[in-house]
Every structure is written in C-alpha cells, then in structure tokens.
Amino acid sequence: MVLSVFPESGIPAREGDVQQLDLTYEILEHMMRRLKNAGDCMKALDMLPKGDLANGDGARSGYGALAEQFAKLDPAGAAEMVLKSPALFSDWSTVYVYYALPKEDRRGWLDRFPRGENFDEIVAALRLPGIQTNESGAPPHPTNEEIESALVELNEVRELTEQMGNETVRQSRLRLIESKIATFEKLRR
C-alpha cells in the first residue's frame, strides 16, 4: 500500500508536497525493514521509486533499509543488487551489505564494484581494526594471532584505499592505516 503512492509517473502524492513526500519516505523505510524473505525484497526493489525520485535522501534511506534487510536474509543477493545499481544505495547501507557477506567473499565483491565516488565512500567507511582498551583504560596484550589478523585486514583495506579516486581522502586514509599498521607491528612478540 505504501509503495502505491509512487504511480508510474513517479510523482508521489501531490506534486510539490514535500512534507507528504518526507512522510512517505519515512514509512517506506520502516516497511523495508519489515520484509520477511528475499523474494519480498526483490518485489520491493521493483516497486521503489525510480528516476529523479530515487536521487533524494528519502529514497536513499528506503533503498538503504531494503539493502540492510535483504543482507540479513540473503547477503549474496543483496550484494548483487547493490552491485547492479550502486548509486541508489548510501555508503552506510553498502558497508552493511559488505559486512553481511562471509569474510572470504568481501574483497572479491569490492573488486567488482565500479570505481568512482560510491566506491570511495564505501572504502572510506570501512572500519579499521584497532587496539581495544580494558576497563581501566590500559591496552590489553593482544595475541600474535589477533595481531596478524589485524595486519591482514589493514593491508587489505590499504590496497582498496590505494584505488580511491579522491586524492585528499585517499592520502588521509592511507596515513591513518599506516599508523595503525605501525602500532600493531610494535605489539608483535
């Protein structure tokens, strides 16, 4: 029913009614989060607003909620959906899909991702492993296995970061990654 307010013309409710459009998108986002199976996610994808209406923040929130829900139900399906139309999905929802994939599939998926602004946003949003502190604020002594795992992850993110098109963001992110790598290497026993 909510999706029916987007007729084929693409004009929601009454043209120019921004308040109605915002409310519609808010309901749309809520509805995407309630989908119960991958088939419903695919049906919803076909019904979501297209064209100019898909470019606004409200639509991106709806598409983002769909990607998150689909990733919970079928991570590989959600990954393919995002890969086909990356501009429809926000960086936060795409990163959610990335982390829903099995660890061994993540890099291959990002290697297939089209380079450009969306790719840059995703890579910049990937979390970097760090040193956790204990309750007293002192860093614990990670095991060599934990250190090696963090270094592998940091090197993988560094390789992806080197492919970013935005020079300023790339250089800033690389400095942060190199700093974290140096910290982990100091902890090796």
Side-chain angles (χ1 to χ4, degrees):
M1 184 175 100
V2 172
L3 293 171
S4 70
V5 302
F6 296 105
E8 283 190 30
S9 67
I11 306 299
R14 294 184 305 267
E15 187 173 1
D17 190 344
V18 175
Q19 186 175 12
Q20 177 65 37
L21 179 59
D22 288 346
L23 178 60
T24 301
Y25 279 133
E26 195 174 303
I27 294 168
L28 177 66
E29 182 178 351
H30 177 73
M31 295 305 295
M32 294 300 102
R33 295 187 191 286
R34 297 180 60 116
L35 297 172
K36 300 288 185 214
N37 62 62
D40 287 347
C41 292
M42 293 306 296
K43 287 177 192 171
L45 176 64
D46 290 338
M47 297 176 78
L48 286 173
K50 306 287 187 269
D52 291 341
L53 285 175
N55 295 330
D57 290 340
R60 284 174 64 97
S61 292
Y63 275 98
L66 172 63
E68 285 184 28
Q69 189 64 20
F70 199 4
K72 291 175 190 173
L73 301 166
D74 178 6
E80 287 303 313
M81 176 185 71
V82 171
L83 200 56
K84 287 179 183 172
S85 301
L88 293 175
F89 301 92
S90 62
D91 57 339
W92 56 265
S93 62
T94 304
V95 168
Y96 188 95
V97 170
Y98 171 85
Y99 286 114
L101 287 169
K103 201 170 196 172
E104 63 273 8
D105 295 343
R106 293 175 184 167
R107 175 63 190 266
W109 180 66
L110 276 181
D111 285 342
R112 293 175 43 216
F113 212 89
R115 299 308 184 254
E117 185 178 336
N118 295 88
F119 176 82
D120 289 358
E121 289 175 357
I122 295 162
V123 172
L126 294 178
R127 61 181 177 252
L128 300 175
I131 307 295
Q132 301 296 321
T133 57
N134 61 24
E135 291 175 12
S136 66
H141 299 287
T143 65
N144 281 339
E145 186 177 287
E146 291 169 328
I147 292 169
E148 291 306 316
S149 175
L151 287 170
V152 166
E153 190 173 343
L154 285 165
N155 281 312
E156 191 170 284
V157 174
R158 177 174 53 192
E159 288 173 14
L160 289 165
T161 301
E162 289 169 348
Q163 298 175 40
M164 293 174 73
N166 184 316
E167 181 68 24
T168 305
V169 174
R170 180 176 62 237
Q171 292 304 321
S172 173
R173 183 83 165 163
L174 286 172
R175 281 191 297 276
L176 176 60
I177 292 168
E178 294 303 327
S179 170
K180 287 186 171 284
I181 289 173
T183 300
F184 276 106
E185 287 178 343
K186 286 178 191 174
L187 292 172
R188 280 185 168 154
R189 296 178 210 165

